[in-house]
Amino acid sequence: MSALQIQPLGYALGAQVTGVDLRRPLDAQTRSTINDAWLRHLVLVFPGQDLSTAEQIAFSRAFGELDDHAFQPRYTHPEHREILLVTNKQIGGKPSDTRNTGRNWHTDLTFTARPAKGALLLCREKPPVGGDTMWANMYLAYETLTPRMQRFIDDLEAIHDASLVKGLEQRDPEKVAEMKRLNPPVAHPLVRVHPETGRKSLLVGQRIRGLIGLSDAESAAVLGFLNEHAQSPEFVYRHRWSVNDLVMWDNRCTQHIALPDFDQAQPRLMLRCSLKGEATGRILTATTSALSDREALMQSLAAIA
Ligand SMILES: O=C(O)CCC(=O)C(=O)O
Ligand SMILES: [Fe+2]
């Protein structure tokens, strides 16, 4: 019999999972219990998991194919492309390019055609205070809109843009240029249907350039409202990290932000595996055909230049 325990951490989302040693291979029953809890609570915290890189990769693989982070060149672990280093520690004598990762509300990898299914982030070093991460429940963000507003946004598409990732100007210009080259603007539905639960959720955040079919002014007003709504404190779980916390989030129905509220002289080291998601995006190039509203698209693209 398993001693696995699941304890909610927040009303909107978040639960703590104890009584399981993630260094050991998962049996089918435990995997399925964890997956069910993940779909229900969206963010799972596994405290006290002193995992090697290989063990983190093995556990993550139980929940899907891993991304090799090819879209974010050279930000990965030197021996394991599956591990993204999110750290303010110097790498090779140079400031880390991930020291300011996740500083605005976002959903991972929406600047690619395949936003992540989820991610598993292991805390290895942390400052004595601060450096928390917040997640918000995007099912609730959608479900608390009026039916009239839901109908208005249900079939809209948003343009996600890697150049809106916050803090790019502080990173190595060569890497930033490569990241932008690899990631042209991409359109995603503003309202997503979760492939496992069938529930609708809002895909917003601060990396969106505009809404296809609306003018710039209309986009700004609608996105301004939706973003403010989606960040409502009652949709949020805020995690205060301990070393060896592994946090696993469902990226298909949440957004998150990593807070810079800590002494940057103190090391913070997080290791992330990203689960490959479904291709929901449409890369926007000048040659993209069969556009629903070509004129509005061209206007949006012109604004990017
Ligand atoms: O550093 C963190 O707490 C999270 C950063 C982030 O956004 C991510 O790893 O996806
Ligand atoms: Fe992130």
Side-chain angles (χ1 to χ4, degrees), residues 106 108 256 272:
H106 68 282
D108 287 344
H256 59 279
R272 182 175 113 204

Side-chain angles (χ1 to χ4, degrees), residues 72 84-87 98-104 106-109 119-121 131-135 207 239 241 249 251 256-259 262 268-274:
Q72 279 175 324
L84 187 77
L85 299 172
V86 180
T87 187
T98 52
R99 68 188 182 284
N100 54 14
T101 292
R103 291 286 185 262
N104 51 8
H106 68 282
T107 298
D108 287 344
L109 306 191
L120 299 97
L121 190 65
D132 297 355
T133 309
M134 304 202 293
W135 283 266
R207 297 174 176 176
H239 188 61
W241 292 93
W249 67 90
N251 199 57
H256 59 279
I257 184 168
L259 302 176
F262 65 100
R268 185 174 187 273
L269 173 63
M270 319 288 280
L271 307 183
R272 182 175 113 204
C273 285
S274 314

